[in-house]
Amino acid sequence: RGMDFSQAFSGPSGGQQEIRTTQLEQPPLDRTTNTYSFCNQSSPYLSVRGNIASIFHGSTEEGYKAYHADKYDEDKNPNGIINFGTSENKLCFDLMSKRLTQSDMNVIEPPLLQYPDWKGHMFLREEVARFLTYYCKAPAPLKAENVIVQNGCGSLFSSLATVLCDPGEAFLIATPFYGGITHSVFLYGNVKLVYAHLDSQVSGTSIRPFQLTMDKLKKALQDAQSEGVKVKALIILNPQNPLGDIYSLSELTEYLEFAKRYELHVIVDEIYMLSVFDDSASFHSVLEMDRLPDPQRTHVMWGISKDFAVSGIRFGTLYTENQDVANAIGSLCYFHGVCGPVQYKIAQLLQDRDWINQVYLRANHDRLKAAHTFVTDELKTLGVPFLNRNAGFFVWIDFRKVSCCKESSAQSN
């Protein structure tokens, strides 16, 4: 187990300190920022929104460039940069490369080289429906007509923001969260994010650190409304990135009931649903529910980037019963399509249930657990507090003691 946060998060005098987390990689925007008012360094060759896109790109790429120019290597570059900012599974290349190059994958037929239904080839949408029915434990078979395919969940977030919101409106999300969502919902749709701040200390109605409660959701929504910001949807990440929390069915029901009460759409990102690596933890999909509180406003996302360790293959899928939403997003699929041969490979992969269950998931879970154990054992040895969870590729670490020690040492020197 990880260190108890009630003990780990203590100030210098021994009194408890509360951390109010903020989202990762947040650009200089708040709820009331005008989209066109913060371009301090503009290019004469770009429009105002072109300059905004350039700023986003620059803030994201700067860190990646530094990392790739100075990567850590135990022998060749021991003082290099270790990337703590990219959630990517690199543990299963051997398994995936072998499976993706088998003979059944290498098929080229005329329909794969022609324009498809922009929502995705029907053979793939049917396979996705069967796959999600099985792994999400849906009480009834899911329908292919409710499945939409795009080139990644980032594209789906962008599309949902565009069709659910008008410019300047907002989504509600618990923070900390995956920072790429900020870019996805803002760049095309000019949609902001409203934050329900999760606290490191157990307080109020919470029973664990960083717990998302109704009180926090209500406060975030009311604060936004008092500032004149219209919130159109609630985003739920389950398992949560980067905390690794897995929400119970009762918690998910509470969140969906909350959204229904305020007529909010719910976007549920379940992209890590098969990356729960400890038998003591159980994942529950909202698609598992016998009855959704508001099925016309509930939209579920999943993709293969994380669970199948292939972030370079851009594929994400949305399941929604709302055909108005589906058709609106379908028009945007023209810009975010997945090429035919890749759609075929993905369908072949998803239907190979025996290989997934007997080979891939067993090995992937074992390797994720071993990697998690290695990192957390080192943190325990160093006395560095962390949040101990059993899903995803991340460990939420409290480096304050380490940074404070370094600052004190630097000052004394």
Side-chain angles (χ1 to χ4, degrees):
R1 294 183 50 152
M3 293 189 176
D4 183 348
F5 271 61
S6 64
Q7 297 176 357
F9 288 174
S10 300
S13 62
Q16 291 185 346
Q17 274 184 315
E18 180 187 275
I19 297 178
R20 288 174 59 83
T21 55
T22 56
Q23 74 288 5
L24 306 178
E25 303 176 23
Q26 166 66 6
L29 296 173
D30 61 29
R31 295 177 189 144
T32 57
T33 301
N34 185 309
T35 311
Y36 305 105
S37 65
F38 70 101
C39 286
N40 295 324
Q41 298 178 348
S42 61
S43 166
Y45 302 105
L46 299 175
S47 65
V48 173
R49 60 186 175 185
N51 276 293
I52 292 169
S54 178
I55 289 173
F56 269 81
H57 177 77
S59 64
T60 302
E61 291 301 310
E62 187 176 339
Y64 283 117
K65 285 182 180 178
Y67 164 66
H68 285 294
D70 190 23
K71 283 185 181 180
Y72 167 85
D73 183 278
E74 185 176 2
D75 300 316
K76 298 178 182 179
N77 191 21
N79 294 319
I81 296 172
I82 299 174
N83 182 5
F84 279 4
T86 304
S87 179
E88 196 170 29
N89 185 346
K90 299 180 180 179
L91 302 175
C92 293
F93 174 79
D94 57 333
L95 299 175
M96 291 305 302
S97 61
K98 182 178 180 180
R99 182 64 191 91
L100 291 173
T101 53
Q102 289 179 359
S103 59
D104 67 315
M105 293 285 181
N106 300 320
V107 172
I108 297 293
E109 297 175 342
L112 300 181
L113 302 182
Q114 297 163 1
Y115 289 126
D117 179 334
W118 293 117
K119 293 180 182 178
H121 279 289
M122 184 51 70
F123 68 79
L124 175 57
R125 294 163 66 194
E126 290 172 346
E127 201 55 60
V128 168
R130 287 190 285 268
F131 180 90
L132 294 179
T133 297
Y134 178 82
Y135 286 103
C136 295
K137 301 177 182 177
L142 301 176
K143 299 177 181 179
E145 67 192 51
N146 298 334
V147 173
I148 298 169
V149 169
Q150 287 191 354
N151 59 342
C153 287
S155 296
L156 289 168
F157 269 120
S158 180
S159 297
L160 283 164
T162 301
V163 305
L164 298 182
C165 297
D166 288 320
E169 293 179 340
F171 287 163
L172 171 59
I173 190 170
T175 178
F177 63 88
Y178 165 56
I181 295 173
T182 303
H183 300 64
S184 298
V185 303
F186 181 75
L187 282 177
Y188 281 161
N190 186 16
V191 172
K192 311 295 196 307
L193 294 175
V194 167
Y195 314 114
H197 293 276
L198 305 184
D199 302 322
S200 61
Q201 298 299 323
V202 176
S203 60
T205 57
S206 64
I207 59 174
R208 65 178 185 270
F210 300 104
Q211 184 178 354
L212 178 59
T213 64
M214 291 301 98
D215 289 343
K216 291 168 185 172
L217 286 175
K218 288 177 186 176
K219 184 179 188 307
L221 183 60
Q222 290 168 356
D223 287 349
Q225 291 172 338
S226 68
E227 295 176 9
V229 177
K230 188 173 185 179
V231 177
K232 298 296 289 290
L234 168 66
I235 296 174
I236 298 293
L237 311 180
N238 184 38
Q240 212 272 359
N241 175 4
L243 298 176
D245 267 335
I246 305 169
Y247 297 122
S248 67
L249 271 177
S250 61
E251 286 177 315
L252 290 170
T253 302
E254 278 192 330
Y255 303 150
L256 268 60
E257 291 284 3
F258 167 86
K260 180 181 180 180
R261 188 157 59 249
Y262 293 99
E263 297 185 344
L264 303 178
H265 290 265
V266 184
I267 302 167
V268 187
D269 180 354
E270 299 185 344
I271 197 168
Y272 290 96
M273 72 173 184
L274 298 181
S275 297
V276 180
F277 51 80
D278 195 295
D279 293 338
S280 65
S282 298
F283 168 80
H284 296 283
S285 170
V286 296
L287 296 175
E288 180 182 334
M289 295 179 176
D290 291 326
R291 184 189 65 82
L292 290 170
D294 193 351
Q296 290 296 302
R297 288 192 177 93
T298 304
H299 320 290
V300 183
M301 292 167 43
W302 179 78
I304 63 172
S305 298
K306 310 300 184 181
D307 285 341
F308 284 97
V310 286
S311 53
I313 298 179
R314 307 307 303 139
F315 168 81
T317 187
L318 179 74
Y319 191 86
T320 178
E321 295 184 21
N322 189 318
Q323 289 306 303
D324 291 339
V325 173
N327 290 332
I329 290 179
S331 68
L332 299 176
C333 290
Y334 178 85
F335 306 108
H336 302 289
V338 180
C339 70
V342 171
Q343 290 194 45
Y344 181 85
K345 286 178 180 285
I346 293 170
Q348 290 297 106
L349 175 68
L350 298 184
Q351 73 179 11
D352 194 352
R353 208 72 53 77
D354 288 341
W355 179 82
I356 292 172
N357 292 336
Q358 303 303 321
V359 179
Y360 178 76
L361 287 181
R362 288 183 178 183
N364 187 40
H365 291 168
D366 286 345
R367 295 175 188 185
L368 286 173
K369 187 172 184 178
H372 182 271
T373 300
F374 174 81
V375 171
T376 54
D377 282 351
E378 290 294 316
L379 292 172
K380 291 174 187 176
T381 300
L382 296 169
V384 177
F386 63 93
L387 192 64
N388 196 36
R389 295 294 185 263
N390 302 309
F393 316 149
F394 20 76
V395 180
W396 189 253
I397 306 172
D398 176 13
F399 280 123
R400 288 177 303 160
K401 288 185 178 179
V402 177
S403 61
C404 286
C405 290
K406 286 188 175 181
E407 288 175 8
S408 299
S409 176
Q411 290 173 359
S412 63
N413 290 334

